[in-house]
Amino acid sequence: GAVVSQHPSRVICKSGTSVKIECRSLDFQATTMFWYRQFPKQSLMLMATSNEGSKATYEQGVEKDKFLINHASLTLSTLTVTSAHPEDSSFYICSAGGDRRAGNTIYFGEGSWLTVV
Amino acid sequence: AQSVTQPDIHITVSEGASLELRCNYSYGATPYLFWYVQSPGQGLQLLLKYFSGDTLVQGIKGFEAEFKRSQSSFNLRKPSVHWSDAAEYFCAVGPYNQGGKLIFGQGTELSVKP
């Protein structure tokens, strides 16, 4: 069935560096993907909507220059955390689907643990 | 404002006992409702979803949920809990057929006593 895959599942980076997380839809085309962040013991908060071929739409309070989103193809969206700091350490998870392309089913990636040291 | 409320942050039940996790939502349009489960350090697994039709929805692992429009609720139930059900449970709401932009509740952590 349709699957959304994230990579890497875990990443450790040094403070001040940038790290990229990929989100791929494997069996369907996704013009829209969504990026969520989850701090430990908390709920998922939508960060941004990734739009294929156009700029991402960010939720209030999310810094677009810090969390760069690129949706260059119908199967791939990337989230780049720039100049990462320890407070950016979190679980990042993407989703795609929910429309007719994906049979009205929403699929979540496996998530990516980011630790900034 | 659109929101999802899970009133219970933490619930403990005995193995074999019945379970009900509460979820209330506020949503302007016709809601597309979900229950997800998350084990520690893991991603989300869909338990069930509802858009229309029979208001009692059957999901995986023996879970079911009932949509009550008059109460804006979508409570999750299981008649007999297993130790492996211990996890975090999230209720979510979103627009149907318009992509997966979901609003999540705060989550309910389920502990199971032997």
Side-chain angles (χ1 to χ4, degrees):
Chain A
V3 178
V4 172
S5 178
Q6 267 183 258
H7 177 81
S9 58
R10 290 181 181 272
V11 58
I12 300 173
C13 70
K14 291 184 177 181
S15 186
T17 64
S18 296
V19 61
K20 181 185 290 186
I21 301 170
E22 295 184 348
C23 178
R24 293 181 185 273
S25 57
L26 299 183
D27 293 332
F28 64 97
Q29 294 179 331
T31 55
T32 306
M33 292 184 176
F34 301 89
W35 287 97
Y36 295 83
R37 179 169 57 186
Q38 184 184 31
F39 291 110
K41 298 291 187 179
Q42 295 188 26
S43 186
L44 286 81
M45 298 300 294
L46 180 66
M47 298 176 64
T49 303
S50 175
N51 303 300
E52 188 269 334
S54 65
K55 292 182 179 180
T57 305
Y58 291 83
E59 296 299 304
Q60 191 173 6
V62 178
E63 300 175 61
K64 62 180 181 181
D65 294 331
K66 181 169 186 62
F67 298 99
L68 300 181
I69 292 173
N70 185 4
H71 195 151
S73 78
L74 287 171
T75 59
L76 174 65
S77 174
T78 60
L79 169 68
T80 301
V81 183
T82 63
S83 186
H85 287 94
E87 57 264 33
D88 297 324
S89 299
S90 185
F91 187 60
Y92 293 88
I93 190 166
C94 69
S95 74
D99 57 15
R100 289 179 180 173
R101 292 171 186 263
N104 296 321
T105 298
I106 299 168
Y107 299 95
F108 279 86
E110 308 94 331
S112 300
W113 280 103
L114 170 62
T115 302
V116 184
V117 298
Chain B
Q2 300 172 349
S3 65
V4 177
T5 301
Q6 293 178 246
D8 305 304
I9 296 174
H10 190 194
I11 284 181
T12 300
V13 299
S14 298
E15 190 169 16
S18 63
L19 170 71
E20 182 170 28
L21 302 182
R22 295 182 291 166
C23 173
N24 293 94
Y25 67 90
S26 174
Y27 200 73
T30 302
Y32 193 10
L33 294 157
F34 305 81
W35 274 100
Y36 288 91
V37 61
Q38 185 180 38
S39 297
Q42 303 296 314
L44 298 176
Q45 182 179 24
L46 178 67
L47 290 175
L48 46 78
K49 60 186 179 183
Y50 172 81
F51 170 68
S52 64
D54 191 346
T55 56
L56 185 61
V57 183
Q58 300 299 319
I60 63 171
K61 301 184 178 184
F63 286 93
E64 66 178 27
E66 186 171 13
F67 171 63
K68 293 185 177 180
R69 185 185 299 275
S70 62
Q71 299 177 18
S72 297
S73 69
F74 189 56
N75 294 348
L76 181 72
R77 300 194 295 249
K78 186 170 184 177
S80 178
V81 171
H82 189 262
W83 64 266
S84 60
D85 292 325
E88 188 86 18
Y89 290 80
F90 292 98
C91 180
V93 65
Y96 179 72
N97 201 29
Q98 296 177 37
K101 184 176 181 179
L102 299 182
I103 300 169
F104 284 84
Q106 303 91 322
T108 298
E109 183 179 2
L110 174 65
S111 297
V112 181
K113 293 189 299 184

